[in-house]
Amino acid sequence: MSGRDLRSVGVFTALAFALAWLLALPLWFGDGLASSWFTLMATATMMTPAIAALVVVFFVERPKQKAWTLGLWPLRPVRRLLGYGALGIIVPIALVLVALPVGALLGVYPADFANFSAFQQVIDEQAGAAGAADIPIPIGALIAVQLATLPLAAFINLVPALGEELGWRGWLLPKLMPLGTLPALLISGVIWGLWHAPLILLGYNYPDAPGWLGLTAMVGMCILVGTVFGWLRLRSGSVWPAALAHAAFNGAGATYLLFAAAGEHVDTTQATILGWSGWVVPLVLVVALVATGQFAPAKHPSAPPSRKGRSPEHPATGRVTGE
């Protein structure tokens, strides 16, 4: 990497982290995760990597083809983009769900795949609060509806997820690619994980763990899941599949509540996709992708020439297209 690239990465990282901490300050000096502003603050925080990337692109680097640099454009080849977009929806949901039986087999996730007792308890409590005796729909049917609607989350959550992915995989990952694919994926994953510190240290995602353990677990998860998102970015040449993947992943994250046993505690440092048992399948997937050469950036269609007749940089590699 050139000195200019290192400066850009430094400005981006410092700005993304500073903005995340700034937005979290009212929670730290207020009611923390119990604050009525928490959802709004968390959603706003997801936009900080995009703000950092836009500042660097528009005011530090100022490339001619800004949309290309961020991975927003072009939306072609259409077939490839749609294919990886579909994988971006399916794969994260599958990883979140398969983490649950793996955790159950390893003895760290208290599962009830037969009666869905924890979810049944929630439904009964909601029915009681509404003054109804019970819900006239079988619990299995409610579970099926919940699972069937998971892909919709990829579109419902797309805007805030794009707020993160525009920074992490849209801009940062390609900028780090001169270091090598695996170092770029590792470094971007570590940065992504540490960026969560303002909320993780308040108890978000890992409410029962000390701050250092929660943040360490978050970094581990972000490295593995971020590598999967990075694969989608590199192979598609676009940030959109990664954004869909991030949105689907967030939407599926709470499904562990559907299959837990009533009255049992779920330790997220060990169980679910957040904990070590949930990393087994993503790790196997990443190893398989590496072994089969699936992280090689896809060839990208030519773009309109930029200044002095040069083609713009390839959005996933940083190399000039047409070389």
Side-chain angles (χ1 to χ4, degrees):
M1 292 179 66
S2 68
R4 182 179 179 183
D5 288 339
L6 287 173
R7 183 188 66 173
S8 296
V9 169
V11 171
F12 165 81
T13 304
L15 188 55
F17 277 53
L19 289 173
W21 275 103
L22 182 63
L23 286 171
L25 283 180
L27 302 178
W28 276 82
F29 290 106
D31 296 326
L33 302 184
S35 171
S36 59
W37 293 95
F38 172 73
T39 300
L40 178 62
M41 291 293 99
T43 303
T45 300
M46 293 180 70
M47 306 307 295
T48 60
I51 294 171
L54 290 171
V55 167
V56 171
V57 168
F58 278 87
F59 300 105
V60 178
E61 296 185 325
R62 291 180 287 183
K64 287 290 185 179
Q65 304 294 334
K66 295 177 176 60
W68 278 67
T69 302
L70 294 166
L72 291 168
W73 192 262
L75 303 179
R76 56 188 176 92
V78 174
R79 180 177 296 180
R80 184 175 72 196
L81 187 62
L82 290 177
Y84 281 102
L87 287 174
I89 296 172
I90 296 168
V91 171
I93 293 174
L95 292 178
V96 170
L97 293 177
V98 77
L100 305 181
V102 170
L105 287 172
L106 294 173
V108 296
Y109 175 63
D112 183 359
F113 295 119
N115 299 310
F116 316 110
S117 54
F119 187 54
Q120 181 70 67
Q121 185 178 61
V122 171
I123 294 298
D124 291 343
E125 291 173 355
Q126 290 178 345
D134 52 31
I135 301 294
I137 302 174
I139 190 68
L142 290 175
I143 294 287
V145 170
Q146 294 281 332
L147 296 178
T149 57
L150 286 180
L152 294 177
F155 301 98
I156 295 172
N157 299 329
L158 183 57
V159 171
L162 182 62
E164 285 200 44
E165 288 305 309
L166 203 63
W168 308 133
R169 259 63 61 173
W171 183 84
L172 179 61
L173 178 59
K175 185 58 63 175
L176 294 172
M177 284 295 285
L179 298 174
T181 301
L182 293 182
L185 291 164
L186 176 62
I187 293 169
S188 61
V190 170
I191 292 174
W192 181 32
L194 292 175
W195 168 84
H196 288 87
L199 299 184
I200 297 299
L201 295 177
L202 284 173
Y204 186 64
N205 280 345
Y206 304 96
D208 302 313
W212 68 267
L213 179 58
L215 189 57
T216 300
M218 192 67 187
V219 170
M221 190 275 291
C222 285
I223 290 172
L224 283 173
V225 173
T227 298
V228 176
F229 294 175
W231 161 63
L232 294 167
R233 167 68 166 108
L234 295 174
R235 293 302 295 167
S236 68
S238 171
V239 73
W240 293 105
L244 286 169
H246 197 143
F249 181 83
N250 286 356
T255 51
Y256 75 93
L257 299 172
L258 301 178
F259 302 102
E264 297 290 336
H265 176 68
V266 178
D267 182 354
T268 50
T269 63
Q270 300 189 65
T272 80
I273 193 67
L274 295 171
W276 64 263
S277 66
W279 305 346
V280 174
V281 175
L283 179 59
V284 171
L285 174 60
V286 167
V287 170
L289 291 172
V290 171
T292 55
Q294 291 301 305
F295 285 100
K299 294 181 179 179
H300 210 277
S302 298
S306 60
R307 62 184 181 277
K308 298 184 180 179
R310 294 184 65 200
S311 295
E313 290 184 347
H314 188 294
T317 65
R319 298 188 180 93
V320 175
T321 56
E323 288 184 339

